[in-house]
Amino acid sequence: MLQAVVLMRATPEPTTVTPYPAAHSVEAFQSNLLAVRARIAVACERVGRAPTEVRLLPVSKTVPADRLRLAWEAGYRELGENKVQEAAGKAEALADLPGLRWSVIGHLQTNKAKLVARFASGFHALDSLRVAAELDRRLQAGGRALEVLVQVNTSGEASKFGLPPEAVADFVRALPAFSSLRVRGLMTLARLSDDAARVRPCFALLRDLRARLRQSAPDGVVMEELSMGMSGDFELAVEEGATMVRVGQALFGARALPDSHYWPDPAGG
Ligand SMILES: *Cc1c(COP(=O)(O)O)cnc(C)c1O
């Protein structure tokens, strides 16, 4: 007890940057998974939700295939990647692992749709009909289907991909034309900020948008999933109704480069 008090006194004020230790063993991947699941459960409890309502998508960008084998051994069966080429390479390298499914969660150029259609089971960043058409064409040719989420720009930042909220209803109405796309819901990236008061409205907006779209969604379009929340903000997202959180660093360890490196500016910056 005394020791705990001394320890607390000696602990510096929490800093805004959390160092996420890197996992390099099956045990470390297991304990990180348990820790994130426990945090999801606590967030669920705060708002009276069941933890089973929230799917955890581990995001493995920048993590090499050999470490992903350890994650698989620890029970990770779904992985999200934001760059198509990187994802396709790892999917090929790990094709021997039973039950492993890949989701592409980052912006897609039309000329890369072919690659996604080949190996991915999910695509979280649909925001263009050209990409939808190209994905559908390639999927049909390969006899495959793809679960897709429509990406919405809820922060209003010009630096974010995704449709403006007011454009989503019309966009969704056009999607039943693409029969290989299983539309499942919405995805967003909130404002990157330590200030919950600026992050939370992004998540709330996505939830409200889903509620409105449910009334007008065409046949075949399911408006269930809300893919929102990452290492820095998934508890807030769960409180606001996330059905899927995309968590990278808290499971795999901190990345060397800032997020801006992985989310290039749509304006071409
Ligand atoms: C990298 C990434 C995440 C996860 O971010 P972490 O900080 O690693 O948890 C979530 N969503 C998208 C689209 C990403 O690119």
Side-chain angles (χ1 to χ4, degrees), residues 59 61 82 105 187 189 230-231 246-249 255 263:
V59 176
K61 62 185 183 226
N82 88 325
I105 61 175
M187 177 273 217
L189 283 162
M230 30 199 256
S231 293
R246 309 177 307 268
V247 178
Q249 297 180 90
R255 281 184 300 274
W263 301 316

Side-chain angles (χ1 to χ4, degrees), residues 20-40 56 70-71 73-76 234 247-253:
Y20 302 107
H24 286 283
S25 67
V26 176
E27 293 70 30
F29 277 115
Q30 274 165 345
S31 72
N32 286 355
L33 188 63
L34 285 174
V36 169
R37 288 240 165 89
R39 286 169 59 188
I40 291 172
L56 172 60
L70 302 175
E73 277 186 60
Y76 295 45
F234 69 81
V247 178
Q249 297 180 90
L251 294 170
F252 293 96

